[in-house]
Amino acid sequence: MGSLRFPFPFPPPEKPPPDGLSFRRVAVTITAAAAVAAGAGLTLSASLKQSAAALRKPCNDDDASHLWAASVSLDGGPQRPAMYVDPKSNVEFPMVIEGEKRLLSVGTRLWRPYFNFGSIRYVFGVYADGFDVKRLSKKYGSFSASELKVNKDFIADILDQDLRITIIFKKARNNLSMRSLRYEFQKYVGESLRKFSGSDSKELLQRFTSLLRDDYKITKESFLEVSRDHGHVLQVRFNGKEVGKIPSKLLCKAMFDAHFGPDAFDKDAREEVKSRLISMLHERSDR
């Protein structure tokens, strides 16, 4: 966070008064300045907490578009993007990336997903480009939010169409390695590939997992980005640096299906992604 600037100039020095009150005046000035700085800090903290709370509350067409505009500015300075802190893992995700893609939901992958307990293995944030989503308005614009929530074709088109979507993966356990992450992708993305292609598609899956090399060390600050760019190109970045691209509509579709498709392992994240996509679709163009 940038340094705090006081919104008022310090007064010129005065001659010490003969009554010995100089020290007390300095103390009052310092106390007032500290109060201003603390107030600005509280405002910043409150703004970020409100952004995080807004992501988890049920959304509707009236308030969803304001969520992604959340940012913080101190003393008229440049706006800083808000961060969402996942309450389950305490991992942070930016609300907006690349200037256009907005955070839809944060999901978690557990070590023991079929039980009522289990530690979090990794955390992922799903982002979408609202301009791309609105390309589906011609087909779905007349549907209400409640109708789209039960419309299976809507998510099927999100998975299938050439829309810019990104998933950011972050560490939530000390022992998460690229090897264990490859295993997760081989299992869950592999299942989606078999569902859509009717075969193992081992060669295609291997092309993707081979990009995730062991020498990419995962730390608390690390992040893996998997994106679908226009042309159904799967792009992989590690810590912001591109490590490979694979042109494959099938692989893109399988990646997103595994994380927010009908059979995704995090059901809450799946429903939140769907709700945010519906809100994007219904946004007015003048917002």
Side-chain angles (χ1 to χ4, degrees):
M1 183 179 73
S3 61
L4 296 174
R5 298 193 303 273
F6 293 103
F8 51 85
F10 285 105
E14 299 178 359
K15 294 182 180 180
D19 57 4
L21 297 179
S22 177
F23 177 78
R24 277 177 285 178
R25 287 183 178 177
V26 172
V28 170
T29 302
I30 293 175
T31 302
V36 171
L42 289 174
T43 300
L44 172 61
S45 176
S47 297
L48 298 183
K49 289 180 180 179
Q50 288 171 0
S51 298
L55 183 64
R56 281 290 172 185
K57 77 173 185 176
C59 69
N60 55 57
D61 291 342
D62 294 330
D63 63 14
S65 64
H66 301 293
L67 163 69
W68 296 300
S71 57
V72 180
S73 176
L74 297 179
D75 191 24
Q79 290 185 334
R80 296 170 176 84
M83 301 292 289
Y84 169 72
V85 181
D86 175 55
K88 295 180 182 179
S89 63
N90 205 36
V91 175
E92 290 187 343
F93 288 87
M95 300 292 285
V96 179
I97 61 173
E98 301 175 27
E100 298 175 346
K101 293 180 183 175
R102 313 181 211 168
L103 181 62
L104 305 180
S105 182
V106 171
T108 55
R109 167 71 182 129
L110 302 178
W111 275 101
R112 300 172 183 265
Y114 300 109
F115 297 89
N116 293 326
F117 61 91
S119 55
I120 298 173
R121 193 163 195 178
Y122 66 81
V123 188
F124 62 94
V126 182
Y127 295 79
D129 185 329
F131 294 102
D132 274 8
V133 173
K134 287 187 72 64
R135 288 164 48 192
L136 299 177
S137 295
K138 184 175 181 180
K139 182 175 181 179
Y140 296 106
S142 61
F143 287 79
S144 67
S146 58
E147 290 173 330
L148 285 176
K149 284 180 180 179
V150 296
N151 189 316
K152 296 181 179 180
D153 290 340
F154 177 64
I155 285 297
D157 277 335
I158 293 290
L159 298 175
D160 190 68
Q161 296 298 314
D162 191 17
L163 312 178
R164 295 176 67 237
I165 297 176
T166 292
I167 301 180
I168 293 181
F169 300 89
K170 288 193 173 185
K171 180 178 184 175
R173 283 177 56 94
N174 290 332
N175 60 348
L176 180 68
S177 66
M178 196 61 80
R179 179 180 180 182
S180 59
L181 200 53
R182 284 199 306 268
Y183 170 80
E184 294 291 330
F185 289 142
Q186 287 168 348
K187 180 178 181 180
Y188 289 100
V189 179
E191 288 177 357
S192 291
L193 281 171
R194 287 189 291 273
K195 178 172 69 174
F196 293 129
S197 68
S199 62
D200 287 340
S201 301
K202 290 183 179 180
E203 182 179 348
L204 181 59
L205 185 60
Q206 175 62 27
R207 287 178 61 193
F208 167 62
T209 57
S210 65
L211 298 175
L212 311 179
R213 305 198 312 263
D214 287 337
D215 56 324
Y216 295 146
K217 302 303 180 183
I218 301 179
T219 66
K220 289 185 67 174
E221 292 74 29
S222 301
F223 59 96
L224 176 70
E225 294 178 69
V226 181
S227 302
R228 174 170 59 193
D229 288 341
H230 287 154
H232 296 282
V233 177
L234 191 79
Q235 183 178 61
V236 182
R237 296 187 183 94
F238 185 67
N239 292 341
K241 181 180 179 181
E242 182 180 310
V243 298
K245 290 183 178 181
I246 303 174
S248 172
K249 181 177 181 179
L250 176 60
L251 184 58
C252 291
K253 185 176 182 179
M255 171 59 68
F256 300 138
D257 175 72
H259 290 90
F260 61 86
D263 301 315
F265 48 78
D266 190 323
K267 308 303 181 186
D268 292 337
R270 177 194 67 190
E271 294 305 311
E272 284 181 349
V273 167
K274 184 188 296 185
S275 294
R276 301 295 175 192
L277 288 169
I278 293 171
S279 296
M280 278 183 167
L281 184 75
H282 287 162
E283 279 181 356
R284 296 197 302 268
S285 58
D286 59 341
R287 282 183 173 176

